[in-house]
């Protein structure tokens, strides 16, 4: 974390704050002192999210942040992202194939199929437009397999 | 018999033989390296043998009396090719002139009073005759450095026929155009030999080390997907590239220093054990490393390592993991191994023009060439060599930096896909091309494979895991 923080600021105080922030986001506690190769996949992902958000960027691009994770870790990461976007105004550009996750986290959605944008709008707009219960159903209807 | 052993063994053998990297490694050494090295050793030994059998030297007869003629006749009867000059006052220039005039490396001087001393020896055994023997060391071919052994044998035979210790040999060495009086050429050739073996071996190990370190460091980043994280940092990509290059170089240098110290200790203990007089006063011979020697060798080594590192980084960027990276950089090893071993035994100047050109073209042979050239006081070859390797290094670094500046660094892959079934299967499913460098845009898999379950192995592998920025 210190290594990463030093790329964003030279100020020792800021660096130490960033590290504290990262420790808080990752929620890894004492395990932060361990080597990362002893971490589980979920712990590594929490570390990466913390690394990305600790500098409070204007924009964070997250590619499937919960892909392959168990329920607990996925929940933790989603909550962190939501909280950060709300509290610090960080804009998040997130890509995911988990439509339920997208529905839960995102304010605006763009559906892409075979490299082309097939629909866009807020989750509510899309659900209403395609008369679906959730975004997964929306996607299936848009793509045309249902 | 263990149950299922045969079946399992067959599976293992098939798997190992299907891996083209293993096949390549198994065939390079026996079919390429050994024949090449054998040829080199053969050439070096053949040329040395020729020079020994055709032992020729100039005899300067300053005595011109009975015994001097007897001695010269005796030398000729041994099969030596003897050129005779009479009454010549020897000095530095005269010696060099005679050496080049007769194209020889050895001069024997029979001084005035030689015959008289032999005659007197019969009455007074304390009085002995002597001859002066000058050996010109002009080549660093270890098999060519014959030292003064032939003359020692000849004089010993002559003494045996007349009387013990009647003739002594006072030896001098001509090195870098200067006569070093009373310095045994065997000792000097020993020093040169040890230098011309220690230096190339150290260089070889140093180059192997740095290439391995750079390739592994790059491949680990790719294997563990940390390269993507590094590329998201608010720093120039060249910073990452140079950080990798310089970091690997420092570690390689530390390894080399440790190696040199260890090797020197080993050699020293060996030398002390075999002959305490082996180590002579190197500075007086002009063989001790001085500023320019260290400067030229250091510069040459520096640029060569940098070129090797740049090459290793480029090659390992095409590998998906550490194992593939190691196999890929293995392609470079013969280019280091062959010139180093060849030039360890052979002086490059004695090689045929075509071979000379090949060795000069390979950048990794230049530190060895430099290390041998500076022993002989030649500073032009190192300068030209260093300039050439610098040019090569710049070209490699330019390619590496261009490569690093694109997204290809994440997705490029050099695949050996001739044999493996899974690869063929992959080829059929994904419709990918033949062997070679394959660059994939990581957007493409989504277009080719409709669902994650159907995604193809290679493509899925090339596709980065979630990237968090």
């Amino acid at each position: 974390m210190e290594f990463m923080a030093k790329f964003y600021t030279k100020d020792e105080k800021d660096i130490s704050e960033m590290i504290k922030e990262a420790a808080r986001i990752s929620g890894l506690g004492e395990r932060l002192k361990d080597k990362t190769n002893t971490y589980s996949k979920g712990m590594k992902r929490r570390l990466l999210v913390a690394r990305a958000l600790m500098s409070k960027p204007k924009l964070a691009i997250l590619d499937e942040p919960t892909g392959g994770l168990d329920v607990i870790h996925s929940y933790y990461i989603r909550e962190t992202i939501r909280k950060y976007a709300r509290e610090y105004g960080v804009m998040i550009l997130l890509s995911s194939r988990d439509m339920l996750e997208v529905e839960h986290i995102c304010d605006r959605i763009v559906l892409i199929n075979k490299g082309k944008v097939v629909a866009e709008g807020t989750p509510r707009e899309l659900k209403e437009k395609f008369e679906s219960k959730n975004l997964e159903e929306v996607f299936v209807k848009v793509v045309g397999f249902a | 018999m263990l149950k299922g052993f045969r079946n399992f063994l067959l599976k293992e053998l098939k798997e190992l033989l299907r891996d083209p990297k293993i096949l390549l490694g198994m065939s390079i050494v026996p079919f390429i390296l050994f024949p090449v090295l054998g040829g080199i050793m053969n050439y070096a030994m053949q040329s040395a043998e020729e020079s020994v059998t055709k032992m020729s030297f100039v005899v300067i007869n300053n005595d011109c009396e009975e015994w001097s003629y007897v001695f010269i006749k005796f030398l000729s009867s041994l099969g030596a090719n003897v050129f005779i000059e009479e009454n010549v006052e020897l000095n530095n220039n005269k010696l060099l002139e005679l050496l080049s005039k007769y194209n020889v490396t050895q001069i024997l001087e029979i001084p005035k009073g030689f015959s008289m001393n032999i005659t007197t020896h019969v009455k007074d055994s304390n009085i002995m005759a002597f001859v002066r023997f000058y050996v010109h060391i002009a080549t660093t071919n270890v098999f060519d450095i014959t030292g003064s052994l032939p003359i020692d044998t000849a004089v010993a035979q002559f003494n045996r026929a007349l009387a013990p210790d009647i003739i002594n040999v006072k030896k001098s060495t001509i090195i870098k155009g200067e006569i070093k009086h009373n310095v045994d050429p065997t000792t000097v050739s020993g020093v040169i030999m040890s230098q011309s073996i220690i230096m190339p071996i150290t260089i070889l190990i140093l180059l192997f080390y740095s290439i391995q370190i750079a390739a592994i460091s790059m491949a680990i980043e790719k294997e563990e997907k940390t390269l993507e994280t590094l590329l998201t940092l608010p720093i120039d990509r060249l910073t990452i590239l140079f950080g990798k290059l310089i970091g690997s170089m420092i570690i390689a240098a530390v390894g080399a220093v440790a190696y040199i110290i260890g090797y020197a200790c080993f050699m020293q203990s060996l030398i002390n054990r075999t002959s305490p007089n082996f180590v002579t006063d190197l500075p007086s011979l002009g063989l001790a490393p001085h500023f320019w020697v260290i400067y030229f060798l250091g510069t040459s080594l520096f640029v060569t390592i940098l070129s090797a590192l740049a090459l290793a980084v480029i090659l390992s960027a095409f590998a998906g993991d550490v194992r593939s990276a190691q196999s890929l950089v293995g392609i470079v090893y013969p280019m280091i191994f062959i010139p180093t071993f060849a030039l360890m035994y052979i002086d490059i100047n004695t090689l045929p023009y075509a071979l000379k050109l090949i060795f000069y073209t390979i950048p990794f042979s230049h530190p060895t060439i430099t290390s041998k050239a500076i022993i002989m006081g030649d500073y032009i070859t190192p300068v030209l060599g260093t300039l050439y390797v610098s040019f090569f290094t710049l070209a490699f670094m330019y390619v590496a930096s261009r490569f690093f500046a694109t997204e290809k660094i994440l997705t490029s892959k050099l695949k050996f896909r001739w044999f493996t079934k899974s690869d063929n299967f992959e080829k059929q499913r994904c419709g990918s091309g033949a062997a070679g460098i394959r660059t994939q845009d990581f957007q493409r898999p989504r277009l080719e494979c409709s669902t994650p379950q159907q995604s193809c192995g290679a493509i899925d592998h090339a596709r980065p895991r979630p990237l968090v920025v």
Side-chain angles (χ1 to χ4, degrees):
Chain A
M1 289 302 168
E2 191 183 338
F3 164 73
M4 290 295 180
K6 278 180 182 166
F7 288 111
Y8 295 97
T9 175
K10 292 270 173 279
D11 188 68
E12 284 297 325
K13 207 177 140 205
D14 289 348
I15 291 171
S16 124
E17 260 173 36
M18 266 191 202
I19 297 169
K20 272 184 206 155
E21 185 68 13
R24 199 180 60 77
I25 304 168
S26 70
L28 289 169
E30 279 300 301
R31 285 300 306 270
L32 266 178
K33 288 173 188 160
D34 295 349
K35 286 191 173 171
T36 50
N37 56 13
T38 63
Y39 284 12
S40 70
K41 199 174 175 184
M43 288 163 83
K44 275 185 191 160
R45 202 67 60 78
R46 274 155 74 164
L47 197 69
L48 283 172
V49 171
R51 204 283 289 166
L53 297 180
M54 71 179 184
S55 60
K56 300 191 183 83
K58 283 184 181 161
L59 170 70
I61 304 171
L62 309 179
D63 181 10
E64 296 192 30
T66 61
L69 295 191
D70 61 34
V71 179
I72 306 284
H73 283 302
S74 300
Y75 178 81
Y76 184 88
I77 285 177
R78 278 188 210 120
E79 286 309 304
T80 308
I81 294 168
R82 274 163 66 93
K83 193 172 142 202
Y84 234 79
R86 232 177 271 139
E87 279 180 19
Y88 300 103
V90 175
M91 189 189 288
I92 310 268
L93 185 65
L94 182 138
S95 75
S96 176
R97 44 190 151 192
D98 183 343
M99 291 299 127
L100 302 178
E101 170 181 283
V102 169
E103 193 177 339
H104 182 61
I105 306 180
C106 303
D107 299 324
R108 280 192 68 80
I109 294 155
V110 173
L111 296 179
I112 298 172
N113 183 41
K114 294 187 178 175
K116 283 187 180 142
V117 173
V118 287
E120 68 176 295
T122 64
R124 180 181 289 188
E125 279 169 8
L126 287 175
K127 277 192 283 187
E128 280 170 6
K129 188 177 172 189
F130 293 95
E131 294 168 349
S132 307
K133 290 196 289 279
N134 53 45
L135 276 184
E136 205 162 56
E137 224 177 288
V138 171
F139 189 84
V140 173
K141 277 185 180 170
V142 171
V143 172
F145 282 125
Chain B
M1 194 73 178
L2 291 164
K3 196 184 161 197
F5 174 74
R6 191 168 163 268
N7 215 7
F8 187 78
L9 181 69
L10 277 174
K11 171 238 158 206
E12 275 302 306
L13 288 175
K14 269 185 200 168
E15 241 175 46
L16 290 172
L17 288 173
R18 272 179 191 158
D19 189 343
K21 290 158 203 157
I22 293 175
L23 279 182
L24 212 67
M26 275 166 67
S27 52
I28 280 179
V29 173
F31 299 125
I32 301 172
L33 277 185
F34 278 146
V36 170
L37 284 179
I40 289 163
M41 296 290 279
N42 213 0
Y43 177 82
M45 281 159 81
Q46 201 183 342
S47 65
E49 267 170 25
E50 275 169 15
S51 70
V52 171
T53 48
K54 285 185 213 152
M55 190 182 92
S56 54
F57 50 86
V58 179
V59 175
I60 295 163
N61 192 352
N62 285 338
D63 184 52
C64 293
E65 285 184 36
E66 192 193 350
W67 279 106
S68 65
Y69 294 118
V70 173
F71 186 59
I72 293 168
K73 208 175 163 192
F74 174 77
L75 289 175
S76 305
S77 73
L78 291 176
N81 197 6
V82 179
F83 305 100
I84 302 162
E85 291 262 338
E86 288 186 349
N87 296 319
V88 180
E89 199 177 323
L90 279 183
N91 56 32
N92 226 351
N93 293 338
K94 190 70 198 170
L95 269 174
L96 292 173
E97 188 192 315
L98 287 172
L99 287 169
S100 76
K101 183 180 167 190
Y102 291 103
N103 192 24
V104 291
T105 54
Q106 296 166 351
I107 291 180
L108 183 79
E109 185 199 0
I110 303 175
K112 221 170 173 50
F114 175 79
S115 295
M116 199 180 78
N117 285 340
I118 289 189
T119 328
T120 326
H121 184 79
V122 183
K123 295 168 202 159
D124 181 358
S125 61
N126 287 330
I127 291 174
M128 287 178 285
F130 70 89
V131 288
R132 283 200 187 92
F133 190 63
Y134 302 90
V135 176
H136 185 212
I137 295 183
T139 155
T140 50
N141 181 349
V142 289
F143 293 111
D144 269 354
I145 305 173
T146 48
S148 57
L149 284 175
I151 197 69
D152 283 337
T153 321
V155 168
Q157 281 183 21
F158 191 75
N159 283 352
R160 213 173 296 143
L162 278 183
D165 300 331
I166 193 164
I167 301 178
N168 275 325
V169 185
K170 288 187 177 174
K171 293 165 195 163
S172 299
T173 308
I174 307 165
I175 186 161
K176 296 182 189 175
E178 269 183 53
I179 308 174
K180 306 286 176 187
H181 289 286
N182 301 322
V183 172
D184 192 337
T186 319
T187 313
V188 179
S189 60
V191 172
I192 291 180
M193 206 183 283
S194 66
Q195 279 196 5
S196 60
I197 288 175
I198 294 171
M199 288 312 293
I201 284 185
T202 315
I203 293 162
L204 182 90
I205 303 263
L206 188 56
L207 281 172
F208 273 21
Y209 262 160
S210 26
I211 285 184
Q212 278 288 331
I213 292 169
I216 290 172
S217 110
M218 189 68 206
I220 285 178
E221 300 279 10
K222 285 195 90 176
E223 191 175 309
E224 300 196 345
K225 309 283 174 197
T226 43
L227 182 63
E228 292 144 12
T229 313
L230 286 182
L231 294 180
T232 65
L233 291 172
I235 47 169
D236 201 300
R237 288 188 179 194
L238 284 181
T239 312
I240 301 172
L241 175 67
F242 286 115
K244 286 224 160 288
L245 291 180
I246 308 293
S248 312
M249 210 173 64
I250 291 170
I251 298 297
V254 172
V257 169
Y259 180 83
I260 290 171
I261 294 170
Y263 196 79
C265 289
F266 163 73
M267 285 302 285
Q268 196 58 46
S269 65
L270 215 66
I271 288 163
N272 289 344
R273 201 171 170 77
T274 47
S275 156
N277 300 324
F278 185 76
V279 184
T280 44
D281 187 11
L282 292 183
S284 71
L285 295 180
L287 287 175
H290 55 80
F291 174 75
W292 288 109
V293 169
I294 293 165
Y295 175 79
F296 282 124
L297 198 59
T299 319
S300 175
L301 211 51
F302 179 79
V303 287
T304 311
I305 290 175
L306 217 55
S307 77
L309 290 176
L311 188 65
V313 167
I314 296 171
L315 282 174
S316 60
F318 285 107
D321 50 59
V322 174
R323 198 173 149 224
S324 318
Q326 281 172 326
S327 309
L328 271 176
V329 292
I331 300 167
V332 186
Y333 289 166
M335 281 205 284
I336 301 172
F337 198 68
I338 293 172
T340 309
F341 268 89
L343 298 172
M344 203 187 283
Y345 296 109
I346 306 170
D347 189 339
I348 193 158
N349 298 317
T350 61
L351 284 172
Y353 186 73
L355 271 178
K356 212 191 275 188
L357 200 69
I358 291 173
F359 282 136
Y360 275 126
T361 315
I362 301 171
F364 310 117
S365 57
H366 281 275
T368 311
I369 296 172
T370 302
S371 79
K372 295 190 95 175
I374 50 182
I375 294 176
M376 303 314 295
D378 169 14
Y379 295 123
I380 297 167
T381 313
V383 170
L384 292 176
T386 307
L387 282 175
Y388 170 73
V389 182
S390 305
F391 166 74
F392 232 94
T393 311
L394 284 176
F396 279 152
M397 301 240 299
Y398 177 73
V399 174
S401 62
R402 286 303 297 258
F403 192 65
F404 243 78
T406 65
E407 300 311 314
K408 286 192 182 89
I409 188 75
L410 291 171
T411 54
S412 293
K413 240 181 215 167
L414 190 67
K415 277 210 158 193
F416 297 94
R417 25 176 54 237
W418 300 298
F419 305 107
T420 40
K421 258 188 188 169
S422 58
D423 275 355
N424 288 334
F425 176 66
E426 212 172 66
K427 225 181 281 176
Q428 284 163 12
R429 290 194 62 178
C430 305
S432 61
I437 297 170
R438 208 157 57 112
T439 309
Q440 293 165 344
D441 181 348
F442 59 80
Q443 289 293 333
R444 223 172 289 149
R446 292 266 174 104
L447 305 182
E448 289 179 5
C449 309
S450 53
T451 67
Q453 285 75 21
Q454 285 173 2
S455 72
C456 308
I459 286 177
D460 217 29
H461 189 59
R463 187 177 179 276
R465 301 243 168 86
L467 170 65
V468 184
V469 184

